[in-house]
Every structure is written in C-alpha cells, then in structure tokens.
Amino acid sequence: MTCAACVHHVRNALEEIPAVSNAQVSLGTETAYVEFSESEVSKVDLRDAVADAGYSIRGFADEDESVFGDRDQEARVREIRETRDRMIISVAVTAFIMFAMNYQSVDSLKSLSPTLVNVLFLVLATPVQFWAGKRFYKSAWSAARLRTSNMNTLVAIGTSTAYFYSVAVTALRPTFSDSLLFSGADVGGAHATGTYFDVSTAIIGLILLGRWLEARARGRTSDAIKKLISLQPATAMVVRDGTPVELELDEVLVGDEVLLRPGERVPVDGEISDGSTTIDESMLTGEPLPASKSVGDSVYTGTVNGTGSVKFTAVAVGRSTVLASIVRSVQQAQASRAPIEQFVDKVTARFVPAVLIAAVLTFSIWSFLAPEPAVINALLMTVAVLVIACPCALGLATPTAIMVGMGRGAASGILIRNSEALERSHRVDTVVFDKTGTLTQGTPGITDIEASEGVDPNELVALAASLEARSEHPLGVAIVDNARTSGLEISGEENLEVVPGKGLSGIVHGETVRVGNPKWVFGEESTFAEEIKRLSDLGRTVIAVSKNESPIGIIALSDPIKPESLSAIRGLNDMGIETVMLTGDNRRTAGAVADELGISLVVAEVLPDQKASEITKLQSNNRTVAMVGDGINDAPALASADVGIAIGTGTDIAIEAADVTISAGDPGSVRELLQLSKSTMRTVKQNLFWAFFYNVMLIPIAAGILYPVFSDGSAPAVLSPLFGDYGFLNPVVAAGAMAISSVTVVTNSLRLGKSFSLPGSNNPNPPGKHQIRQQVKAN
C-alpha cells in the first residue's frame, strides 16, 4: 500500500464480506486486523477479497512460522532492494537522457539526426516506463476495475502522457518536422528533440527514490516491535529421552522439559521443575533486582537467567507466550486508527478525483492560453499537476507518527490499547488518582516508632511482633514483616488473648504485654497523648504497646506513599494539569496523603459504585478526565473516564477496563503518557501541514498560476530550471517535490522515537507481563 486511498480500498474490500464485522487497515505497518465469523469466512475469502482490490496478503499472523515476522521481514527487505534497483536504473537512464538532450554540444552526437536520438531515448525509456513503473500501472488498473482511483493512478496517467506523446513525436517527426507540435515546449526549458522521455523517466525515478527512502524510514518506525522480538532466543535446549537436544523454537512443544543454563534467555514460558536460580525479569516487571526462582515458580520468555542451572516444563510456546502477546498488543495498537485519521480519509477519498478534474481543466484552459506550442505546454502542465498532487504524504502523515508514538510508549512501559486513547490523552486537563495501590504502596508499613526512655525501639517492635505473629490483621502482618526484615527475634507467646476491636495481650518472656488501641492499652491518659494526636492527624494508625501495664511506646503505621508519587504529582502540576484524589478511605487519611503530595482536590469516603459518577461530575464541567487506578473498585471509573489508566501491578479487571496500562506501577508514567500524546499529536499536525503545504502551494503553481507574472518570458534565469521562461512548473521538479514530501513526514515522525531503549537493559519501565491481560479484551 502506498497512500490513504489504498487503505480505504483494502478496508472496503474486507468490510464488504458479509461476515466481517470490522476491519482496521494500517498504512504504516501494512497490516489489517479483521473481526469475522470463522464459521462463515475463511482465510481464502479474505485473501481473495484483498486480491480483487488489487493487493496481496503476505501471510496471516496466526501462522507459527511468521509469529515474529521473520518471513514478513524478508519480504520487506526484498521489496526495498527491488525498489532500490529499479530506482537506480531509472535515475541513470534519466541522467543520460537529460545529458544527451543537449546533443548539439556533444561531438559524438552532433552527426545524429533528432529522429535517431529519439529512437535511442525510446529504447532506454521503455523499460523504465513498463518495468520500473510496472507497480504504478498494476495499482492504477486495479483501482480502475473498482471504479476508483489512487495516487498510482495519477503517476500512471502523468508518466504515460509524457511517454506516449514522446513516442508519437519519435514516430511522426520525420513527417511533421516543421510543426510547432514537435518543436519543444517551454516547461523547464526547451527540448531540442521535441520529446519528453526525460520527464517520464525522471518522474518514475524520483518517485521510486521517495518510495525507497520512505520504506527504509518506515522500517525504523517498528523499532519497538523489533526490540521486543529480539528478546526471544532462536533455539531451546530440550531434554528428549534423557538427552539435551538443541531445537528450533517451532519444534518445542508444551510439556517439553527445557534446560536453562546460566546467562541464557528463557526461550518459552514455563514452570521450574528442578533446581533454583535468580532471573532478571526487568523487561517484564521493571524491577531492577533479579527474582529468586525455585521449583514451582514460573519463568517467562525473554527474561535472563542468572548463575543457576534449572530445568523447567514448557507451559506456553509460540503465540501463547507472554512476550508474543505483548508484541501482538503493540502491533494491534499501532494499527488502530485515531479519530484525526477519519478527517484524512474524507479528504483523500475526494482528493484524487478532484485532482483528475483539475488536470482536465488545466489541459483544456492552457491549450488555448499558453504560449506556443500551447498544446505541449498544456500537456506538460497537466503532467505536473497529476504528479505534484499525489497524496502519499497525506496518507503517511498520521499513521507514521501514531506508530512511532505507540512504540515509544511500549518501550517505556506504557501500553496504549489504541490510537484513539493516544489522541485523547493530549487533551487531558484533569487527572484523577485512586489512593491505595496507585499513589501508595497498597500495603501498610511502619512509619514511626516512639519508645519510652530506656526502651530500645527494636525491643518495642519485637515485643509487638511476638504477639502479632499469629495475627492475620494487615497491621499485625506489617509489624511482623518489619521485625523479620530487621532481623529481630520473634519470641513465642503464652496465654494469648484476642480482644476484638481493641487488641492483643499475652505473656512474652514471663512479662505481660499488650498491643492495640491506645485507649485500651494506655487508658484515657498517657505520656504519649500528644504524639498519638499528631500522628493521627497525619492519617496514620497508632498501635500502643505496654509491658506489665506500663506504657513503653507506640508504633505508627500507614500505607506508605510510593517514592515516585511526589515527583509525579509535581510534574503534572507543572504542566498545568489539575490533580484529584478519589478514594474510599476516610477524609483525614486521604487529606494527609493529598497534603503531602500537593494534590489540589480530594474526594474521600466514596463507595465503589460512586466513583464513576464522580468522574462524570468532573466531565460535566467541561473537563477532559484521565482516571488512574489499580483495583476492581476502580474499573467503572476507568471505563467512564476519557482516558482510563491502569497500574499494571493491579487487578486484571482494572487493566481490562483501561485504555492504557502502566506496567511498572510508577504514577510518574502518567505525565510521560500525556507528554507523549502531546508530542505525537504535534507531530501529526506538523505532518499534515507539510502534506497539505506541498499540495495546496504547488498544485496552483503546477496549474500555471505564475504565468501572469512571467507572461512576457521574463522569469529569472535562476528559476528557469524550475519554471521555464513563463512560470510553468517542470514536471520533473514536481516529482521531486512529491517524493520529498513523503520522506519529510516519515522523517519528522521518527523524531518521536529518539528515546527508544531496549526493554530490560537501561530502561526502568519496560513493557510488563500484566499487559497480556489486555490482549484478552482486545481479541
């Protein structure tokens, strides 16, 4: 596919199949995602529909041998090489013809007649026209059969006009040698031979040059996919009949026992059956420290084994692995269509027919008004109009930027479900955060320890942990975890008594210890009263500890704020984004967290079913709202928001309800998402400007708008190669400008991808394993 018109034709061909409910076609990735009834439609039907539209299918994504695009990549490389070869021959022929056009100054050609020179040009130009330019004719003919047109229609008509006119001159000039019809025209300078083979070959050569440069540049837009794909090794060491055998990945079966040696990447998903090791899972989880693995633990494709050697049973291979699912998620997101593309579609659908009409009018008008030879000048102006108007840049303007933006997000651990979410994000002016698990760690931890004089704080924690060791209360678990992490001795207790709603009491080392509510442990008055009030005002839960009925200290716990939350909120505030906390927690605790983070608005004590209505209230005030959450209770709000953002370490339901998943759980990625969206949409608008600029500015010039200025033949000598003496645009220059426009928009899009980095290397937030859950809904 070469332009937005191609996308339109392929999509229509697929959607015209009765059992196809939806088809999304991407110019940037040259892929189509199709939803259809398998009982009514086969792959043959899809292939035939695309073929009838004049295109072909390289392959289907569910074919194991092309899961990671090896075959498709080979086809693309082959196509780029073929385009390059045809371009080189076309440009070489053009250069020779242009040089020989001035044969009067070339001694070896002075003795040749114009007719013989034209025959030589014809012999050279014909292979360029019908071999190098075959693709233009093929595509134009396919479109014509469907009673439509595309950019190749314009190229085919334009080059054929110059070529066949020149053929006629070559054949008839001996008979009509004195006719003005064959004496050369002014466009781009006089042609002594009266032919324009240089125009037809130059247009084909320059357009192929643009296609070649564009194809090479577009190949770089899939860097994120390539980097993800490269994480999977090519082979696996499988134990067959007790002997390790190195096999290609497509030979590995579910249930096979795989040997993983130190330093190797995991080839398929599996479960450890023998041995223990540490595995670097940073490319999935974003965690920098290797994870300890032993029998029964899962391992994932692309992660890196440490120093241990283990055996594991393959549980997912090929398209079923986590890595393959992430690749598909990113590919599908890149192929989705942003709302702004609907505008481009409408323009493109009418653009080519409008250009054909403009070309007819150009020829009709200038056949009478152009300087002699009027017909020839009119003909070449028509060719210039057809070539300069090719809308390939217009078709590439949006999808290339979207592709690079999606890839950059994926490389940063931000998986965007579709391009519509990416586009909406740049309009967000309010970000609503859930508190627990989003801005905070989601589990309580000790924040403060206040001990009586002469009491070691570690002893205080150890006594409390000794009583809480058998407790399942989250606060008790947090105290015990802290003691174990600190290496404190947790002693056994006797006569443990649980007082519901108040606390615990028991005998530790022969002394009576109480842990629990301060009023129950200390009574109404204690030396810790002021400190208890201060900590309570900060939203922390205070646990009192006494020994033999004497107060010995207090332990304050809270859900700790994530270290990155403060910078995340400050970053959003610096962007002028209003931040809101929406939580079911009590107002005092929520307010304390909000004050510490600098959040401007707090909505607390909200029930799960009320969160969505709070989002709607904000939207009713003309706000574009993004909701960030991680829990099941956040799912309705995530779905209601203009952009739902799930923390990847949260629940499956929240992830599936969201438009965007942040894999590493860093709320700072919200700011990166908004900045990425703004950068992407800015690039799209720049691309559309340049695409329209070339067409809007140069079509009128090609149509002769400068002739009134230079009607006396006074065009400056420096402009003569571009506009001749009378201001008529040289068709060769038109072809060059059209090629440059395509390369310009693709190159501009690639600027978005400068920060790409390989997941799992120095990137702190690579794509996460939880992203696989999104694919469930996406499929």
Side-chain angles (χ1 to χ4, degrees):
M1 299 187 297
T2 56
C3 67
C6 298
V7 173
H8 180 71
H9 298 156
V10 174
R11 186 172 65 249
N12 283 352
L14 290 168
E15 290 184 339
E16 284 175 1
I17 301 175
V20 171
S21 57
N22 180 44
Q24 294 184 10
V25 181
S26 168
L27 176 63
T29 59
E30 292 185 319
T31 56
Y33 284 88
V34 189
E35 297 176 14
F36 61 94
S37 170
E38 286 188 284
S39 62
E40 301 176 61
V41 178
S42 68
K43 291 181 180 178
V44 175
D45 297 325
L46 298 176
R47 191 182 292 275
D48 289 345
V50 172
D52 289 342
Y55 304 86
S56 61
I57 293 176
R58 284 200 183 109
F60 294 87
D62 62 344
E63 297 173 358
D64 288 342
E65 65 270 22
S66 63
V67 167
F68 292 111
D70 290 340
R71 190 177 64 184
D72 183 61
Q73 182 64 22
E74 290 174 4
R76 289 177 184 272
V77 170
R78 221 170 24 247
E79 183 177 331
I80 291 174
R81 188 184 304 118
E82 179 183 311
T83 301
R84 180 202 61 193
D85 294 343
R86 298 189 183 210
M87 175 270 296
I88 290 174
I89 291 175
S90 301
V91 171
V93 169
T94 299
F96 176 81
I97 293 177
M98 285 184 168
F99 173 76
M101 281 290 183
N102 296 315
Y103 69 93
Q104 293 95 337
S105 61
V106 181
D107 293 337
S108 60
L109 295 175
K110 281 182 178 179
S111 60
L112 298 178
S113 69
T115 299
L116 289 177
V117 172
N118 283 342
V119 170
L120 174 62
F121 292 166
L122 173 61
V123 171
L124 293 172
T126 299
V128 173
Q129 188 70 33
F130 299 107
W131 172 71
K134 177 182 176 181
R135 63 179 65 189
F136 305 123
Y137 283 107
K138 183 178 179 181
S139 179
W141 172 245
S142 298
R145 287 193 298 112
L146 298 173
R147 298 180 181 180
T148 184
S149 57
N150 56 33
M151 69 156 286
N152 294 306
T153 303
L154 304 181
V155 176
I157 292 176
T159 58
S160 296
T161 301
Y163 174 81
F164 285 110
Y165 166 77
S166 300
V167 171
V169 169
T170 301
L172 301 177
R173 181 165 185 153
T175 304
F176 301 99
S177 58
D178 295 329
S179 170
L180 276 173
L181 184 64
F182 304 109
S183 62
D186 169 71
V187 179
H191 285 58
T193 64
T195 59
Y196 294 91
F197 288 117
D198 60 326
V199 172
S200 63
T201 57
I203 290 173
I204 290 173
L206 288 172
I207 291 177
L208 289 177
L209 173 62
R211 293 273 181 91
W212 176 62
L213 293 173
E214 172 193 314
R216 293 183 64 197
R218 281 166 62 182
R220 291 167 54 200
T221 62
S222 297
D223 277 353
I225 298 295
K226 293 175 184 175
K227 288 176 181 178
L228 287 171
I229 291 171
S230 70
L231 295 176
Q232 184 175 45
T235 61
M237 189 64 69
V238 179
V239 179
R240 293 277 173 89
D241 299 325
T243 304
V245 181
E246 189 170 13
L247 300 177
E248 298 292 329
L249 286 188
D250 57 5
E251 299 179 73
V252 181
L253 306 175
V254 172
D256 277 345
E257 189 174 44
V258 181
L259 175 63
L260 185 64
R261 293 167 295 192
E264 291 183 332
R265 284 191 180 272
V266 179
V268 295
D269 293 359
E271 183 177 295
I272 293 179
S273 57
D274 182 40
S276 61
T277 187
T278 59
I279 291 185
D280 179 1
E281 294 185 333
S282 58
M283 54 82 61
L284 287 178
T285 64
E287 294 296 331
L289 297 178
S292 298
K293 299 285 184 176
S294 57
V295 175
D297 290 333
S298 297
V299 292
Y300 299 97
T301 304
T303 56
V304 182
N305 186 26
T307 57
S309 180
V310 297
K311 291 180 181 179
F312 68 89
T313 304
V315 298
V317 299
R319 287 175 53 82
S320 300
T321 65
V322 168
L323 181 62
S325 298
I326 293 173
V327 170
R328 287 199 303 276
S329 296
V330 177
Q331 286 176 327
Q332 186 163 0
Q334 288 184 331
S336 61
R337 298 177 63 75
I340 196 170
E341 289 190 79
Q342 307 303 321
F343 163 72
V344 176
D345 286 347
K346 292 176 182 178
V347 171
T348 305
R350 295 168 175 79
F351 191 77
V352 175
V355 170
L356 292 173
I357 294 172
V360 171
L361 291 175
T362 298
F363 181 79
S364 301
I365 294 171
W366 289 110
S367 293
F368 298 99
L369 301 180
E372 294 297 341
V375 174
I376 306 306
N377 279 315
L379 192 66
L380 294 179
M381 290 165 64
T382 302
V383 173
V385 169
L386 290 169
V387 173
I388 197 66
C390 291
C392 50
L394 191 61
L396 290 168
T398 301
T400 52
I402 293 292
M403 278 184 63
V404 176
M406 292 283 193
R408 177 177 169 183
S412 300
I414 304 170
L415 186 69
I416 305 167
R417 186 189 295 276
N418 53 57
S419 56
E420 185 176 357
L422 181 63
E423 179 177 336
R424 282 199 306 264
S425 296
H426 88 283
R427 296 194 297 269
V428 168
D429 53 30
T430 304
V431 177
V432 179
F433 288 93
D434 170 57
K435 179 179 75 68
T436 306
T438 302
L439 294 172
T440 65
Q441 300 286 5
T443 55
I446 293 177
T447 59
D448 301 86
I449 301 173
E450 296 290 337
S452 298
E453 187 175 351
V455 177
D456 186 347
N458 286 334
E459 179 191 355
L460 184 70
V461 174
L463 287 173
S466 297
L467 287 189
E468 298 281 7
R470 288 193 289 167
S471 171
E472 295 182 358
H473 192 284
L475 298 181
V477 171
I479 292 173
V480 173
D481 287 346
N482 181 274
R484 286 174 176 163
T485 302
S486 302
L488 304 180
E489 179 185 356
I490 300 177
S491 305
E493 92 301 320
E494 300 175 11
N495 301 328
L496 181 66
E497 180 183 0
V498 179
V499 181
K502 295 183 179 179
L504 307 171
S505 68
I507 306 297
V508 179
H509 295 311
E511 298 179 289
T512 302
V513 178
R514 274 191 174 189
V515 177
N517 184 297
K519 288 187 178 180
W520 179 68
V521 175
F522 294 159
E524 293 297 328
E525 299 291 337
S526 77
T527 56
F528 293 99
E530 290 186 7
E531 191 63 19
I532 291 172
K533 183 179 184 304
R534 183 185 71 82
L535 293 171
S536 297
D537 289 341
L538 292 175
R540 295 167 189 170
T541 302
V542 179
I543 301 296
V545 182
S546 69
K547 183 169 64 174
N548 297 328
E549 298 186 358
S550 298
I552 60 172
I554 56 176
I555 301 172
L557 301 97
S558 71
D559 183 2
I561 294 174
K562 292 181 178 180
E564 56 271 19
S565 292
L566 181 59
S567 61
I569 299 301
R570 285 178 177 173
L572 290 171
N573 290 340
D574 290 343
M575 291 176 64
I577 305 293
E578 181 171 6
T579 51
V580 180
M581 181 189 292
L582 185 63
T583 179
D585 211 340
N586 64 75
R587 296 182 187 279
R588 184 177 62 183
T589 301
V593 173
D595 288 343
E596 186 172 347
L597 292 176
I599 292 178
S600 54
L601 178 63
V602 179
V603 182
E605 300 178 2
V606 180
L607 297 176
D609 58 352
Q610 296 173 333
K611 286 191 173 183
S613 62
E614 293 294 335
I615 297 294
T616 304
K617 287 180 183 178
L618 292 170
Q619 291 170 325
S620 65
N621 292 325
N622 296 320
R623 295 185 181 186
T624 302
V625 180
M627 170 68 191
V628 188
D630 73 321
I632 293 175
N633 60 342
D634 297 320
L638 290 170
S640 300
D642 296 287
V643 181
I645 305 172
I647 297 296
T649 51
T651 65
D652 293 4
I653 294 176
I655 291 171
E656 291 179 12
D659 302 300
V660 180
T661 298
I662 295 172
S663 64
D666 180 4
S669 295
V670 175
R671 182 189 184 192
E672 186 174 349
L673 167 66
L674 302 188
Q675 290 175 326
L676 175 63
S677 176
K678 291 179 185 294
S679 297
T680 302
M681 295 315 300
R682 182 167 57 249
T683 301
V684 167
K685 291 173 183 177
Q686 290 170 349
N687 288 349
L688 289 175
F689 168 79
W690 283 111
F692 278 115
F693 174 81
Y694 277 102
N695 292 132
V696 172
M697 294 298 293
L698 294 181
I699 288 178
I701 293 175
I705 196 173
L706 295 180
Y707 176 67
V709 179
F710 305 116
S711 59
D712 58 354
S714 61
V718 69
L719 297 179
S720 181
L722 304 179
F723 304 113
D725 294 331
Y726 295 96
F728 298 143
L729 183 67
N730 188 331
V732 176
V733 175
M738 192 278 290
I740 291 171
S741 68
S742 298
V743 176
T744 298
V745 298
V746 175
T747 304
N748 189 45
S749 297
L750 289 172
R751 293 187 306 111
L752 277 170
K754 288 182 178 178
S755 63
F756 275 5
S757 58
L758 180 62
S761 55
N762 58 354
N763 178 15
N765 299 312
K769 63 183 179 181
H770 297 281
Q771 294 164 351
I772 187 174
R773 300 165 179 164
Q774 283 205 356
Q775 190 64 22
V776 175
K777 184 176 181 182
N779 284 341

